[in-house]
Amino acid sequence: MVSQSELIKEARENGMELLPLDKDTYELFFGPQHMATENFSIILKMDGHRVVKAIANPGFLHRGFEKLAELRPWYTNIALLLRICVPEPDVPEMIYSMAVDELMGWEVPERAQWIRTTVLEMARVSAYLFWIMGLSFKLGVYTAGQWAAAYRERFMALFEELTGARVYHIYTIPGGVRRDIPGDKWLRQLKDTVEYIKSKLPDFDNLVFENYITHRRMEGIGVMDKKFALAEGVTGPNLRATGVPYDVRRMDPYLLYPELDFEVPVLKEGDALARALIRRYELEQDLYILEQLLEMGPPSGPYKVQDPRLKNLPRFKVPAGDAFAHVESTKGDFGAYVVSTGGNKPYRVQIRGPSIAHGIRVLEQLLVGARIADVPVILMSLDNCPPDIDR
Amino acid sequence: MEEIDFKVAPESKIKKRPSYIKPWLGLKYLFKKPVTIKIPYEKTQIAKNYRGFHSLDWKKCIGCNFCGQICPARAIEMTWIEVDGKVEKRPHPKIDYGRCTFCEFCVDVCPTGALGFVENFMLTTEWKDEELELFDWVPIHPDKLREINEKFPDYRFPVGKIEFNKETKEVTYYLRDGDVFKFKILGYGVRPPAAAKPKPAAPKAEEAKKVKKPEEKKGQKSEENSS
Ligand code: SF4
Ligand code: SF4
């Protein structure tokens, strides 16, 4: 048996470096095929069942959207950029369209604004239902997950009727939307769906949010304090769970949000449970917003701007300049920075996904000291979305 | 931090009390009818304007390559075609469903309304090369598509098999209702191939239903993005 020090010496003589093994910890790889991580991986250094060090390892979904967007005409980019956020693909469309609207100096017609707000809220509700599904699967409450997926299906059907596709509804375009509302029948269906899901919310409470086991599972894990969250650029529900009342829809209102009445939930704890409860309350508020929007009814008028420049789409040019637009998504503050040099293609499109803040650095620090069973729960309570980290 | 002038929900509304008994209430769905659809026996209803496969009116298409320029996936390639020994005057788009994202921007942008879409969305093949030919086609006339859809209302691709003869460049569509449709591919790109004599005659823009455009004559050659 050769001793370790001898081996190290021998390696060094041959120009190699042999590092001593750390015999106290072991390395665990939560890879992209793991059910909890969704195309994302974390390298965990474990001591027993506690995490000593976590290294996030994203990049499995890097498709280079920002480079691709430089090579395509302005309109076409919609079909490309929405793939950055899978659970709510309307958000990247919306920010890009809003930024281009700003560059063009367009005043989006009222009907288009109403449709855009409705679509955003529908996307939020379906994304929250999707999140409930993910969380319950990770907690082991499969029943609630199946329900959430089934109710989300109703919104998918509505989207299908409105936009022609279920998930990637390439719908919002610069200057409005692509199709008008199919008619009163669709509005009635939306109303029914909202009411139906509202009546089903107590079921989710019973199974997930008021469950003793869930509370024990999530209480006090992944605690984030206010200062840390602000310094790391955490936004959205994760930030609100640390006691900061920040919501883009209120701080920097866009579309019809100033006219709508809703409450912003804020909690102080900053643990996984607080983040989950905040999302639960926002789902309720989003349904309430949809109700208000339906009560308002879509104003009449055109659903996109009338501009002679739109006649020749492939060579549609945008004046030089730059614009930034951001909206509140279910994951946080989603922003797009668009630079134009006056050509028929953008000079640069930068998308700032919210998960870039809470998915890497924050996650690495929250996982330190967590038990191995808490790793998927913390990951899901942050609502980490790998495609918008990698882009 | 600046002062807050919006409504913040009180904590009492957000917080929930844990309970031992409530989770059992989930059992109430045990005897309800499930919401699943038994797919081979029951049919789903697809929305009327579901974005599916394309249709192309070969008479209306003027070969302007607008669709090729707008396509985000660059799935459209202009193709010069010979049907029954007659060369089509203008190239027609050939769509590669391996890349198409079904955004239907090409349909929106088509100035003559030649390109359209139907609700069909099912196209499954095996890995064999001859079956993969199905993914690359010049769309057929919308009326024909609708006819096939009436016969087989299962939202499948209207062509059962596509044969491409590498030597003679002959393409054969075996449509699902038994018809066979043959044409030859002479070349690709916006510029006419040697086999098809260039015809500088005025384009038949009169066929255009919609607003006439000055750009659709020529001049997109410089901006071709395919090939
Ligand atoms: S845009 Fe329409 S007319 Fe022009 S090439 Fe494409 S299908 Fe033909
Ligand atoms: S529908 Fe397909 S072929 Fe048409 S523009 Fe979109 S990606 Fe291209």
Side-chain angles (χ1 to χ4, degrees), chain B:
Chain B
M1 180 156 273
E2 58 197 283
E3 96 256 27
I4 303 140
D5 57 352
F6 53 82
K7 265 202 252 170
V8 172
E11 249 180 48
S12 56
K13 268 202 207 162
I14 310 166
K15 286 218 165 138
K16 307 265 179 213
R17 301 186 73 167
S19 151
Y20 290 101
I21 304 143
K22 276 189 171 169
W24 296 101
L25 294 176
L27 286 178
K28 72 180 180 191
Y29 289 99
L30 210 50
F31 301 105
K32 296 235 169 95
K33 196 176 164 284
V35 293
T36 43
I37 302 168
K38 301 184 186 71
I39 277 295
Y41 313 109
E42 291 173 38
K43 268 229 279 313
T44 46
Q45 189 56 49
I46 302 295
K48 212 172 102 264
N49 276 330
Y50 192 78
R51 299 198 304 254
F53 299 127
H54 299 77
S55 65
L56 178 71
D57 190 339
W58 290 25
K59 291 265 148 45
K60 274 195 198 161
C61 176
I62 52 167
C64 61
N65 196 19
F66 269 29
C67 48
Q69 285 175 29
I70 199 82
C71 179
R74 301 194 181 154
I76 291 184
E77 194 174 15
M78 285 295 150
T79 313
W80 292 83
I81 285 169
E82 184 189 303
V83 198
D84 302 333
K86 238 176 62 213
V87 182
E88 297 265 323
K89 277 200 211 70
R90 308 233 130 219
H92 295 321
K94 178 172 70 62
I95 297 175
D96 178 358
Y97 285 127
R99 316 183 65 165
C100 176
T101 62
F102 297 98
C103 62
E104 312 298 3
F105 272 131
C106 50
V107 177
D108 289 4
V109 86
C110 180
T112 63
L115 208 57
F117 62 93
V118 284
E119 297 96 73
N120 302 23
F121 64 95
M122 293 240 269
L123 170 54
T124 51
T125 64
E126 280 184 38
W127 48 269
K128 292 181 195 122
D129 273 356
E130 58 269 27
E131 285 193 32
L132 293 178
E133 291 288 347
L134 271 180
F135 282 89
D136 218 350
W137 79 325
V138 180
I140 55 175
H141 197 276
D143 291 347
K144 187 77 199 164
L145 269 174
R146 231 154 272 138
E147 213 182 292
I148 298 176
N149 274 359
E150 256 162 46
K151 261 192 208 163
F152 306 95
D154 56 358
Y155 304 113
R156 277 184 195 280
F157 196 58
V159 185
K161 195 173 148 210
I162 295 183
E163 252 176 33
F164 182 57
N165 190 332
K166 284 233 169 63
E167 271 115 52
T168 57
K169 304 274 182 217
E170 195 173 50
V171 187
T172 320
Y173 289 178
Y174 295 97
L175 301 182
R176 289 183 71 201
D177 59 353
D179 286 6
V180 180
F181 181 55
K182 279 189 187 170
F183 62 88
K184 256 189 196 165
I185 290 182
L186 299 179
Y188 299 104
V190 182
R191 250 153 263 176
K197 279 138 250 129
K199 290 207 172 106
K204 281 195 190 160
E206 296 83 51
E207 280 179 10
K209 264 200 307 201
K210 290 192 182 158
V211 257
K212 259 196 13 184
K213 288 163 176 291
E215 305 86 15
E216 74 194 24
K217 293 225 162 117
K218 282 258 152 103
Q220 53 276 353
K221 276 185 184 170
S222 52
E223 289 212 1
E224 63 177 293
N225 55 13
S226 57
S227 77

Side-chain angles (χ1 to χ4, degrees), chain A residues 131 135 209 218 271-281:
Chain A
W131 168 80
L135 178 76
F209 301 102
M218 300 204 287
D271 58 355
L273 183 64
R275 292 195 282 269
L277 290 177
I278 285 212
R279 289 201 167 85
R280 157 71 184 75
Y281 194 73

